[in-house]
Amino acid sequence: MTRRAALVGASLGALVLICLLSLALGARQIPLGEVVRALGGLGVDGETREVIWSVRVPRTLLGVLTAAALGLSGALMQALTRNPLADPGVLGVSAGAAFGVVISMGVLGIGALSGFVWFAFAGALVASLVVYAMAGMGRDGLTPVKLALAGVAVTFLLSSVTSAIVLVDPESLNRYRFWSAGSLSGHGSGVLPQLLPFILAGAVLALACAPALNSLALGDDVARGLGRRVGLVRLQGAAAVMLLTGAAVAAIGPVVFVGLVVPHLARAVARRAGAETDHRLLLPLSALLAPCLLLAADILGRLVVPPIEVQAGLLVAFIGGPFFVVLARRQRLAEL
């Protein structure tokens, strides 16, 4: 237990450090000492205080909330499907949420997050059902490769329809083009209170599933023998994924691969405590490590070609794409 607490503490420390760097680095470099003084309400000039509190604090908090949601949903999906390739982006959940947002923006003219977030939830749910229905066809039933292929097919289909919608409406195209790249910039502090209830509800549902996920890892029959209501656990997990992914995608766009990469990093960290299969540790670690990845990508995007910012979602995809290929080869998908 002491080693587990140490791993969680170290992950939390890494998150605090990356948050401080997110507040300090950008178009204007601010020394860490001034950042700490500004956060503590001590003496800094008004311009520095304005940059930190009005621009970078909301941006950093948004990154923490949405990335934690994506990391949790990825770990949860991999546990529920027993598929190491599961991810909201790979299995079409993010594309479904994005499709719902575009329908609300371009067709219904809904511009507020509190309005189109419900369409994101609906799109995520419908996409999940379609992917599972497609992957379940055939004699072999659900397999990792069939889930991944069905997810890719649904993602491309929804992306094509989404592109057709935004091309018809130039105003929607301008909003979608920026949003779809996956960016933490351009959001005011008013977004955070709107997101918080949905992400908190999804996180509570996800963490409450952790003991049952350990039983599901042994197989459905064993889980039932241990007194778990498998159907209820899967329903609870699906609701958590829908809340977490829908809220995150509605806020920052369809950022892919965070939910794929981070659970594997969490397992590598948990292995030091001999608990790489214990979701009571994996889920909190995923929620802490995911913001580290997304904020690091966001910081790098500010610095790589200044003064232009590269969207964080593009850099995460640049990292996640090769990781997916390596992981797929390790799973020997050609033989499945």
Side-chain angles (χ1 to χ4, degrees):
M1 186 61 68
T2 302
R3 184 171 293 183
R4 295 187 180 203
L7 292 175
V8 172
S11 300
L12 182 59
L15 177 56
V16 170
L17 177 60
I18 202 75
C19 286
L20 289 175
L21 292 176
S22 177
L23 298 177
L25 301 177
R28 175 184 173 181
Q29 310 293 336
I30 302 174
L32 282 176
E34 290 191 29
V35 170
V36 174
R37 286 198 297 273
L39 294 176
L42 302 178
V44 293
D45 63 86
E47 184 179 352
T48 299
R49 185 183 302 109
E50 182 70 16
V51 169
I52 291 175
W53 282 104
S54 298
V55 179
R56 294 188 181 173
V57 166
R59 179 173 183 161
T60 300
L61 290 178
L62 179 65
V64 170
L65 276 179
T66 53
L70 293 173
L72 270 176
S73 60
L76 194 56
M77 290 184 71
Q78 290 179 15
L80 289 172
T81 62
R82 294 195 288 275
N83 179 2
L85 302 179
D87 163 73
V90 174
L91 296 190
V93 181
S94 293
F99 178 72
V101 171
V102 169
I103 289 291
S104 65
M105 285 182 178
V107 178
L108 303 178
I110 299 173
L113 176 63
S114 57
F116 61 66
V117 70
W118 300 104
F119 289 84
F121 295 150
L125 176 61
V126 172
S128 300
L129 294 175
V130 172
V131 167
Y132 272 88
M134 291 175 60
M137 295 179 180
R139 294 179 301 173
D140 299 332
L142 290 174
T143 64
V145 68
K146 289 175 68 177
L147 272 173
L149 290 176
V152 170
V154 170
T155 296
F156 276 111
L157 174 63
L158 292 178
S159 298
S160 299
V161 177
T162 298
S163 298
I165 293 172
V166 299
L167 286 174
V168 173
D169 186 350
E171 182 179 350
S172 296
L173 175 60
N174 290 331
R175 287 187 293 175
Y176 175 77
R177 185 168 51 192
F178 179 78
W179 171 82
S180 65
S183 175
L184 299 178
S185 64
H187 302 280
S189 57
V191 172
L192 298 172
Q194 299 180 57
L195 279 181
L196 194 57
F198 299 112
I199 292 180
L200 280 179
V204 169
L205 284 174
L207 294 174
C209 287
L213 294 178
N214 291 341
S215 301
L216 283 181
L218 302 174
D220 289 1
D221 293 336
V222 175
R224 290 190 185 94
L226 294 173
R228 302 295 183 186
R229 301 173 64 182
V230 174
L232 184 60
V233 172
R234 294 191 188 281
L235 181 61
Q236 181 179 337
V241 169
M242 184 184 68
L243 285 169
L244 293 168
T245 305
V249 170
I252 64 170
V255 176
V256 297
F257 292 125
V258 171
L260 173 67
V261 173
V262 168
H264 291 279
L265 295 178
R267 290 187 190 93
V269 172
R271 193 171 294 122
R272 296 181 175 274
E276 63 268 25
T277 60
D278 189 349
H279 292 87
R280 294 173 298 178
L281 179 61
L282 288 176
L283 293 182
L285 284 178
S286 296
L288 291 173
L289 294 176
C292 295
L293 174 62
L294 186 60
L295 289 178
D298 185 50
I299 294 169
L300 183 61
R302 302 180 215 172
L303 303 177
V304 64
V305 284
I308 300 172
E309 288 191 8
V310 179
Q311 309 302 330
L314 299 178
L315 291 173
V316 171
F318 183 78
I319 298 169
F323 184 90
F324 178 81
V325 172
V326 172
L327 184 62
R329 289 179 62 87
R330 286 182 57 189
Q331 295 300 313
R332 301 166 70 181
L333 291 185
E335 298 177 12
L336 294 177

